[in-house]
Amino acid sequence: MNLKVLFLDDDSYVLHAYQRMLRGAPYQLYFAQDKQQALDILQSTAIDLLLVDYCMPEQNGLEFCAAREFWQPSVRCYLVTGLDNQTLFATACDKGLIDGTLAKPLRKDTLLDFLQCQQQQLLTNQGDAAL
Amino acid sequence: MSEAFEAYIAELKTLDLDELQSFYGELAMEELTAVLQRFYQEAGSYHQRLVNAIEIQNVLEIIRVSHSLKSMAALTGAQQYSALCLWIERFMRQDELDDLMELATYLPALWQQLEHAIQQNLRSVGTPH
């Protein structure tokens, strides 16, 4: 089963970059440029992983993730950010708002390694659940 | 402050295509062209927004647009321009308006250099139809 990944970033240039980097990769990819698009996808598709930009105009990535209780609880959320605010992000992890952070801008090899780990984790979890 | 910034960008390139390739992985020539064209179009409009926001000292817009431009430029290997946006964002977050206004004087020249470097690259590889 392929990992279903949703990218939320208000910059279309960055979304296109992810799309180009991951062309041919064995994942189902979804892209949203605003909060509503992302919510529509989260409510209609069983997304496994959300990669959300921190700095966005309507609400920041953490504010968006604060509503994660309304999505499928199994969605793992990672904040993609160029900001160096470890205290804020560590607190958000402790509160369960996000599962971690990734440094922006992302490189193709970093992204592929990360997604491979997530895919592995998904398979492990599914295996555990089946036992 | 100007001297510090100039020292900071002295070792950086206007447009580093190796850096771009390190972000995207190996790109075919036509993909590279498409990336540069997209950056030129999108960053161009953001650049204008940043210039306008600085003119009217719209703090939130300056932070938001410089933050976006910083990432877009870094992803494209536009090292000097990305560094300028990083500094602008940092000074604005620290509310250091005088330093920001001094830095803003670099915007037209660095953008022009970047524009020239992009166009030169597009000309050398040929523009896809």
Side-chain angles (χ1 to χ4, degrees):
Chain A
M1 184 186 162
N2 288 344
L3 194 70
K4 292 190 181 73
V5 189
L6 170 61
F7 292 87
L8 169 57
D9 195 309
D10 59 302
D11 286 327
S12 65
Y13 182 73
V14 173
L15 288 180
H16 273 95
Y18 295 149
Q19 208 166 8
R20 197 174 283 277
M21 287 175 196
L22 296 173
R23 197 181 308 159
Y27 308 110
Q28 291 184 48
L29 305 174
Y30 301 82
F31 300 92
Q33 214 181 328
D34 61 44
K35 172 189 158 183
Q36 195 51 53
Q37 274 180 8
L39 286 174
D40 289 347
I41 294 169
L42 282 163
Q43 281 158 6
S44 61
T45 311
I47 294 294
D48 301 301
L49 179 66
L50 168 68
L51 297 186
V52 55
D53 183 35
Y54 177 68
C55 281
M56 294 186 292
E58 288 177 291
Q59 61 178 187
N60 69 42
L62 279 183
E63 288 164 347
F64 182 79
C65 290
R68 71 185 288 185
E69 63 196 272
F70 298 110
W71 326 324
Q72 308 255 0
S74 57
V75 183
R76 294 177 63 79
C77 304
Y78 284 82
L79 206 60
V80 184
T81 177
L83 288 181
D84 185 20
N85 194 337
Q86 294 310 315
T87 316
L88 174 70
F89 301 141
T91 308
C93 281
D94 291 344
K95 286 183 179 168
L97 292 181
I98 53 171
D99 296 287
T101 59
L102 291 168
K104 194 179 183 183
L106 282 166
R107 286 176 196 273
K108 180 181 180 176
D109 50 1
T110 311
L111 192 51
L112 284 172
D113 287 348
F114 175 74
L115 294 181
Q116 197 180 358
C117 285
Q118 293 293 321
Q119 169 85 62
Q120 198 55 51
Q121 202 165 343
L122 177 73
L123 293 174
T124 308
N125 291 348
Q126 283 174 347
D128 289 347
L131 288 178
Chain B
M1 206 282 302
S2 303
E3 285 167 15
F5 177 69
E6 282 172 21
Y8 183 82
I9 63 165
E11 299 297 314
L12 302 177
K13 291 185 179 173
T14 301
L15 181 63
D16 185 344
L17 295 184
D18 291 336
E19 176 82 349
L20 186 155
Q21 299 267 16
S22 82
F23 276 109
Y24 281 85
E26 284 301 307
L27 290 174
M29 205 50 92
E30 61 194 35
E31 290 178 304
L32 179 67
T33 306
V35 168
L36 286 177
Q37 281 179 324
R38 178 173 279 278
F39 173 75
Y40 183 54
Q41 284 165 1
E42 298 205 14
S45 86
Y46 273 81
H47 170 80
Q48 198 47 55
R49 272 175 62 187
L50 181 57
V51 170
N52 295 343
I54 290 173
E55 233 170 62
I56 58 169
Q57 300 188 359
N58 180 338
V59 175
L60 287 180
E61 176 80 347
I62 293 170
I63 292 174
R64 213 194 81 66
V65 178
S66 58
H67 179 82
S68 291
L69 270 171
K70 174 189 72 179
S71 293
M72 290 167 69
L75 194 53
T76 314
Q79 296 175 340
Q80 290 190 340
Y81 191 81
S82 177
L84 176 58
C85 293
L86 169 75
W87 279 51
I88 288 175
E89 182 190 1
R90 191 181 292 161
F91 281 123
M92 203 66 275
R93 286 187 190 277
Q94 292 165 352
D95 207 17
E96 293 175 11
L97 207 58
D98 289 345
D99 284 336
L100 170 85
M101 296 315 282
E102 203 178 327
L103 268 180
T105 61
Y106 290 91
L107 265 173
L110 288 193
W111 176 254
Q112 208 173 7
Q113 284 169 25
L114 178 56
E115 203 171 25
H116 180 69
I118 291 171
Q119 282 169 351
Q120 211 169 26
N121 274 284
L122 290 176
R123 269 200 299 273
S124 71
V125 295
T127 311
H129 301 290

